[in-house]
Amino acid sequence: MLKTKRFTAILTALVLIFAIVPVSAQETAPFAAAIQPLSAGGPMVSSGETHTLALTSDGTVLAWGENSRGQLGDGTRTDSLVPVLVQGFPPGLTITSVAAGNGFSLALDADGRVWSWGSNAQGQLGLGNTTDSNLPMEITAITATTGAAIAIAAGG
């Protein structure tokens, strides 16, 4: 069952990559996609164990899959088979990177601030507590102690 969930998440991520990478205007093949290297701030996809995040070219963060710990960031704990909008970022915030872990999610903004949501049983959200969050929360300890972050990664 776990291998099936992982395969499904990986396949979904690959399909979404083809959906969000722009196709050249000269392309005439009906279902061809231009494979282009992703740059910082460009579209990207990250799969956790049972959920997936996508960052679109306009900075929108989408999520889908299991949501038992709030890892989709939509303010609920309801699983979703289709992408839902991650809620709760301040207006005008530009997200440049996302990372999905085992039941939790991370986002990096253009100012080097890191945002986290989802499972927090071991304090992996970096919020100074062990309370799960179903909306993105800024990890203020990062910017307060080290300045701006330049990259994120999530394990699990």
Side-chain angles (χ1 to χ4, degrees), residues 106-109 112-116 137-140 142 149 151-152:
L106 301 172
L108 177 66
D109 71 28
R113 294 177 296 188
V114 180
W115 301 78
S116 62
M137 304 294 289
E138 182 183 355
I139 307 174
T140 56
I142 293 176
I152 55 172

Side-chain angles (χ1 to χ4, degrees), residues 9-103:
I10 291 169
L11 181 60
T12 303
L14 290 174
V15 168
L16 187 65
I17 287 172
F18 285 105
I20 61 177
V21 174
V23 176
S24 166
Q26 289 86 20
E27 185 61 59
T28 57
F31 297 104
I35 306 288
Q36 300 172 358
L38 298 179
S39 60
M44 66 182 307
V45 173
S46 178
S47 285
E49 185 173 352
T50 60
H51 77 292
T52 304
L53 298 173
L55 176 63
T56 66
S57 57
D58 70 357
T60 301
V61 181
L62 303 171
W64 62 96
E66 183 183 337
N67 196 25
S68 62
R69 305 300 291 270
Q71 61 265 45
L72 300 187
D74 65 347
T76 74
R77 294 205 186 320
T78 305
D79 297 350
S80 180
L81 298 176
V82 297
V84 295
L85 181 65
V86 174
Q87 309 269 333
F89 291 117
L93 187 73
T94 302
I95 300 297
T96 60
S97 183
V98 293
N102 183 3

